[in-house]
DNA sequence: CAAATATAATAGTATTACTATTACAAACAA
DNA sequence: TTGTTTGTAATAGTAATACTATTATATTTG
């Protein structure tokens, strides 16, 4: 995924932001700086005041782009899932074997992330860290139903549905594809977090791909007829 | 699980609280009231001031029991996992067949919760709701490592390890038991949440036990030799 | 019954998320 | 040029929240 496109843009639901951060230098600095800072000090300690200070701007200027830090988190996760979907689509192009397609799909959502040089103002490795540690706070709220209605989580949903379809290419009778896919995605995120912070809750291995291998094995065993 | 014991107490790590809430009437009212309120308005909107008001006490009095609302959340989840472990132990007693033991273990951590009349000041159904919607906020913080050192998450850990051992009774060579168990526990919680709020991320069914059945099927398929 | 202690209430402070208003600057038209 | 519009950013707040210092009141104990 190196220098494939110089003019591609990841599209995010327009109702998440007040002004598109991709549309100005300040906007890109807000995204870049917030990823650095949230990854560094965590979402609770992160404030617009601190962010403004770190990018040499002001609190009010940031509020021109996002109406709250919650919306900024929604933006980051929405961007992440849109980016993942674009990676998935390209990884499956021209691959005919359904088994190979499923293997690639599971790999995309469970393997360690590498940087994508097409988006210079976004550090995908740190963003992946944030998605693992903070993104569940974006939907574990009392506003989830109304925000879901506005389509703020549709990137995640469409990712799940795409992979479910690949499962159905192999076994059209398997009834719980969606449940299986979201179990795998959330599960992989948890395993990475547990490996670093709560090792007794996972299996520790030297193998860099051990989490991906675990979920590939799991998925193929579970959907077999 | 009805009136089995009138004199049993669930033990929680003493460093989580300043004063044991089980030791006084006010303490029990704090637990009862906080479960009602967090389930009702969510952890973000929940404050000690509102809680004090609802149980006719004061903010400062609650701070005698818990040094922060975060610690109160840790207490609730620690209590929940200690209670789950006691349910697991009783469910497995005298059961010899390893397959039946595993089936029961997975059922305990994935089935819908019913009230336990042994603990009158705790509504286990609402507490389960809180664990599903809020408990990940207890460990997705920058303090996770130091709090883990103090053993605040040991109830969850020991639950995972107990079930892993049951898996090893069936297949001692299966290498990823811990990873599988935490995938199942977290997965089931997510599926219940998705069913209610983000239905496109799961499989909707009329069957009340569909989530439990999915994970029992999954576990047995995955650990087969 | 007095001293010691446990418990609870009052009245704060510091910080945070968020906003109302004003200031500035570039772009364009008359 | 001048005046108007529009995009952008800065100042200076407010309301609410998490948390605390201090005082008051019960309860227990010697």
């Amino acid at each position: 995924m190196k220098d494939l496109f110089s003019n591609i843009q990841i599209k995010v639901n327009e109702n998440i932001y007040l002004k598109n951060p991709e549309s100005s230098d300040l906007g890109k600095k807000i995204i870049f700086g917030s990823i650095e800072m949230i990854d560094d000090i965590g979402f609770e300690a992160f404030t617009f005041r601190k962010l403004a200070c770190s990018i040499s701007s002001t609190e009010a200027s940031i509020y021109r782009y996002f109406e709250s830090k919650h919306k900024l988190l929604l933006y980051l996760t929405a961007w992440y899932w849109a980016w993942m979907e674009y990676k998935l689509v390209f990884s499956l192009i021209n691959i005919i074997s359904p088994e190979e397609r499923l293997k690639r799909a599971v790999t995309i959502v469970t393997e360690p992330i590498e940087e994508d040089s097409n988006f210079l103002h976004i550090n995908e490795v740190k963003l992946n860290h944030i998605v693992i540690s903070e993104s569940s706070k974006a939907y574990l709220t009392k506003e989830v139903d109304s925000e879901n209605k506005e389509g703020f989580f549709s990137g995640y949903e469409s990712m799940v549905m795409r992979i479910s379809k690949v499962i159905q290419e192999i076994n059209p009778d398997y009834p719980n594809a969606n449940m299986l896919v979201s179990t795998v995605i959330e599960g992989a995120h948890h395993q990475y977090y547990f490996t670093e912070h709560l090792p007794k809750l996972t299996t520790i291995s030297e193998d860099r791909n051990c989490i991906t291998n675990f979920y590939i094995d799991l998925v193929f065993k579970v959907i077999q007829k």
Side-chain angles (χ1 to χ4, degrees), chain A:
Chain A
M1 202 63 65
K2 213 177 172 186
D3 298 322
L4 265 178
F5 311 95
S6 57
N7 53 357
I8 201 175
Q9 228 198 15
I10 299 291
K11 216 184 154 192
V12 170
N13 184 321
E14 291 180 0
N15 295 314
I16 292 183
Y17 50 76
L18 297 170
K19 179 177 154 71
N20 190 345
E22 306 262 359
S23 73
S24 74
D25 276 1
L26 179 64
K28 284 177 191 160
K29 275 166 72 183
I30 290 171
I31 299 308
F32 176 83
S34 65
I35 291 173
E36 294 287 316
M37 188 170 280
I38 295 173
D39 183 48
D40 190 32
I41 65 175
F43 187 66
E44 276 72 36
F46 167 82
T47 69
F48 278 3
R49 188 165 298 174
K50 289 177 194 167
L51 173 61
C53 184
S54 85
I55 61 172
S56 303
S57 181
T58 67
E59 234 184 319
S61 303
I62 298 167
Y63 277 104
R64 303 261 160 190
Y65 290 83
F66 296 101
E67 70 180 65
S68 66
K69 71 172 189 171
H70 172 72
K71 282 280 176 73
L72 173 54
L73 181 61
L74 283 176
Y75 178 88
L76 294 178
T77 58
W79 194 96
Y80 180 83
W81 288 115
W83 176 67
M84 287 295 270
E85 191 168 1
Y86 130 90
K87 292 217 304 176
L88 178 71
V89 168
F90 276 83
S91 174
L92 298 191
I93 268 177
N94 295 329
I95 307 295
I96 295 138
S97 154
E99 283 78 16
E100 177 62 19
R101 287 166 63 79
L102 182 54
K103 203 176 157 184
R104 281 170 171 250
V106 174
T107 301
I108 288 280
V109 293
T110 62
E111 76 184 341
I113 297 294
E114 279 168 25
E115 271 207 54
D116 184 337
S117 57
N118 291 299
F119 310 98
L120 290 174
H121 65 299
I122 296 196
N123 181 326
E124 289 81 9
V125 175
K126 290 186 177 178
L127 180 55
N128 171 252
H129 250 115
I130 292 172
V131 168
I132 288 172
S133 308
E134 317 287 355
S135 75
S136 63
K137 297 168 192 168
Y139 62 78
L140 292 175
T141 70
K142 286 286 166 184
E143 293 75 38
V144 59
D145 296 328
S146 65
E147 291 183 345
N148 185 39
K149 254 186 202 158
E150 292 199 67
F152 293 175
F153 309 108
S154 60
Y156 191 3
E157 287 169 351
S158 97
M159 194 74 186
V160 168
M161 287 187 289
R162 265 184 202 278
I163 302 176
S164 291
K165 273 185 194 158
V166 180
I167 287 176
Q168 266 137 23
E169 292 171 19
I170 298 176
N171 181 355
D173 299 327
Y174 184 72
N176 297 314
N178 279 8
M179 186 135 62
L180 179 58
V181 173
S182 61
T183 295
V184 167
I185 293 177
E186 294 288 336
H189 287 172
H190 279 101
Q191 300 311 317
Y192 281 109
Y193 190 84
F194 292 160
T195 301
E196 219 173 311
H197 299 292
L198 299 165
K200 284 183 184 164
L201 296 180
T202 186
T203 313
I204 302 300
S205 157
E206 294 297 309
D207 180 8
R208 193 163 176 280
N209 296 312
C210 106
I211 291 172
T212 295
N213 292 335
F214 168 79
Y215 284 108
I216 289 175
D217 172 70
L218 179 146
V219 167
F220 278 93
K221 279 177 175 166
V222 169
I223 66 165
Q224 73 194 200
K225 299 175 195 185

